[in-house]
């Protein structure tokens, strides 16, 4: 087979594969119109990748459903844990949240609620800048000489039974034999511990002005979660004002809805960058690449034997 013909066949196979990988991206005017409706609840108004209430499921990622509860409070459930959403920054792809069981409360209802959460890191994760850990220790012995300012009380359900609880803000960098170090290392000292995220500002406040009131404020101030729901593809999709991001519930992947263009055009948008790289990397014939990518100039392949 002629080498150029082999290249053309291979190139067409690559184009087909890319289209299958990206999946069909519906350009239904109805779906485009559906996704014009933002999720709205209280002070929260947001579009992709979120959905819920009047915003259809195909307008957001399946794992990022928002619910508007009593009092116009926005909540989201991630890995079976529910969070109160305090704010959303679509430009930075972050949301500020707090666990609902710790909203204005440092004492969950039952001991079974004293647990650490597990994030679905395939879609969200903690932001690394500006936040620190806050560790809460429950039902500790009173043998340890800890500052009373680092204690907080919980109703045990019995007037005769008293428990002592402690909190530590930030990383533990204290001497090995200090009371705090003993609190963490002595076996059986505390029955349970829970790690939450708080801002560095709130952590500094707790370290210099420890109190139960400041503890509640630090927790209810919330922490940031960053999301990755095809962020790059969505940015590319929405670079054109006639397109909106969504999700293909049938194929289970990202969708770019258009109000004017055909389905082929939508798929073209998603694979065009890949095709440009392939054309330049493998130096396919310019006529073929320029036919498929008319808006991108691909220099023609030069036969080395023709060079001076």
């Amino acid at each position: 087979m002629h080498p150029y013909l082999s290249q053309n066949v291979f190139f067409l196979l690559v184009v087909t594969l890319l289209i299958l990988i990206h999946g069909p991206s519906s350009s239904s005017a109805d779906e485009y119109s559906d996704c014009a409706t933002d999720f709205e609840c209280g002070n929260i108004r947001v579009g992709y990748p979120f959905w819920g209430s009047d915003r259809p499921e195909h307008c957001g990622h399946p794992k990022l459903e928002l619910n508007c509860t009593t009092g116009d409070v926005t909540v989201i459930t991630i890995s079976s844990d529910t969070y109160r959403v305090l704010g959303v920054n679509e430009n930075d792809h972050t949301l500020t949240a707090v666990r609902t069981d710790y909203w204005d409360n440092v004492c969950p209802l039952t001991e079974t609620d004293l647990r650490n959460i597990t994030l679905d890191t395939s879609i969200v994760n903690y932001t690394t800048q500006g936040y620190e850990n806050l560790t809460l220790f429950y039902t500790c012995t009173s043998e340890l000489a800890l500052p009373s300012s680092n204690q907080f009380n919980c109703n045990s359900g019995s007037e005769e039974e008293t428990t002592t609880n402690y909190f530590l803000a930030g990383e533990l960098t204290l001497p090995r034999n200090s009371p705090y170090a003993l609190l963490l290392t002595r076996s059986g000292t505390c029955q349970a511990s829970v790690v939450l995220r708080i801002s560095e500002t709130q952590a500094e406040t707790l370290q210099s002005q420890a109190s139960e009131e400041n503890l509640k404020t630090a927790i209810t101030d919330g922490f940031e979660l960053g999301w990755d729901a095809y962020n790059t593809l969505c940015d590319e999709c929405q670079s054109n004002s006639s397109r909106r991001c969504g999700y293909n519930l049938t194929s289970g992947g990202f969708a770019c809805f258009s109000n004017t263009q055909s389905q082929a055009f939508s798929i073209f948008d998603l694979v065009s960058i890949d095709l440009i790289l392939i054309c330049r990397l493998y130096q396919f014939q310019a006529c073929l690449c320029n036919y498929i990518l008319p808006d991108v100039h691909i220099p023609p392949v030069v036969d080395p034997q023709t060079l001076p």
Side-chain angles (χ1 to χ4, degrees):
M1 183 180 292
H2 193 280
Y4 282 166
L5 181 58
S6 299
Q7 287 183 345
N8 292 349
V9 172
F10 176 71
F11 184 80
L12 292 176
L13 288 175
V14 170
V15 171
T16 303
L17 179 61
L18 287 174
I19 291 174
L20 291 175
I21 290 174
H22 285 292
S25 181
S26 171
S27 60
S28 165
D30 290 339
E31 291 173 317
Y32 174 88
S33 179
D34 289 345
C35 297
T37 302
D38 287 339
F39 171 89
E40 291 190 61
C41 181
N43 67 329
I44 303 296
R45 179 175 180 176
V46 65
Y48 183 87
F50 301 98
W51 63 280
S53 296
D54 294 332
R55 183 173 171 82
E57 184 176 1
H58 62 263
C59 297
H61 193 284
K63 295 182 179 181
L64 295 177
E65 178 185 8
L66 299 177
N67 287 287
C68 192
T69 62
T70 304
D72 288 337
V73 174
T74 300
V75 298
I76 186 172
T77 300
I78 302 173
S79 299
S80 301
D81 294 300
T82 305
Y83 303 83
R84 182 176 181 135
V85 179
L86 308 180
V88 178
N89 188 323
E90 294 180 272
N91 293 328
D92 292 340
H93 306 122
T94 60
L95 63 89
T96 304
V98 60
R99 283 174 54 171
T100 53
D101 52 345
Y102 276 92
W103 173 256
D104 197 28
N105 173 49
V106 292
C107 303
L109 296 178
T110 65
E111 290 187 2
T112 57
D113 293 325
L114 299 176
R115 58 187 177 79
N116 291 304
I117 61 174
T118 302
L119 292 177
D120 182 351
T121 54
S122 68
I123 188 69
V124 296
N125 212 337
Y126 296 115
T127 56
T128 57
Q129 300 295 323
Y131 290 84
E132 295 189 24
N133 287 340
L134 169 69
T135 308
L136 305 178
F137 298 93
Y138 291 92
T139 315
C140 304
T141 64
S142 58
E143 299 174 0
L144 302 176
L146 293 173
S148 59
S149 57
N150 278 71
Q151 297 181 12
F152 63 94
N153 298 317
C154 292
N155 294 328
S156 62
S158 172
E159 294 183 359
E160 297 180 357
E161 182 181 356
T162 59
T163 62
T164 307
N165 313 296
Y166 302 94
F167 65 86
L168 289 174
E171 298 297 327
L172 184 67
T173 56
L174 298 169
R176 181 177 180 181
N177 294 324
S178 71
Y180 286 119
L182 291 175
L183 176 65
L184 293 180
T185 59
R186 182 176 296 181
S187 175
T189 296
C190 301
Q191 291 186 7
S193 64
V194 175
V195 179
L196 305 175
R197 293 283 282 179
I198 60 174
S199 68
E200 287 182 348
T201 301
Q202 293 291 358
E204 291 172 358
T205 299
L206 286 178
Q207 290 165 355
S208 60
Q209 304 175 44
S211 70
E212 187 169 342
E213 181 179 355
N214 286 342
L215 173 63
K216 291 182 179 180
T217 300
I219 296 174
T220 56
D221 197 47
F223 61 92
E224 276 191 354
L225 288 173
W227 73 76
D228 187 358
Y230 305 101
N231 296 348
T232 302
L233 285 178
C234 185
D235 290 342
E236 172 66 20
C237 172
Q238 296 188 152
S239 64
N240 186 317
S241 60
S242 67
R243 302 196 297 266
R244 294 189 176 118
C245 301
Y247 196 85
N248 190 316
L249 298 176
T250 301
S251 65
F254 177 79
C256 185
F257 302 130
S258 172
N259 68 340
T260 57
Q261 304 298 337
S262 66
Q263 183 179 38
F265 178 84
S266 185
I267 294 175
F268 168 85
D269 269 344
L270 292 177
V271 302
S272 60
I273 295 177
D274 297 332
L275 295 179
I276 293 171
L277 293 175
I278 291 171
C279 282
R280 290 176 175 169
L281 179 62
Y282 292 100
Q283 294 188 338
F284 289 109
Q285 293 185 78
C287 60
L288 181 60
C289 288
N290 289 332
Y291 175 77
I292 297 177
L293 301 170
D295 296 328
V296 179
H297 174 66
I298 308 292
V301 176
V302 177
D303 188 341
Q305 296 181 358
T306 65
L307 296 176

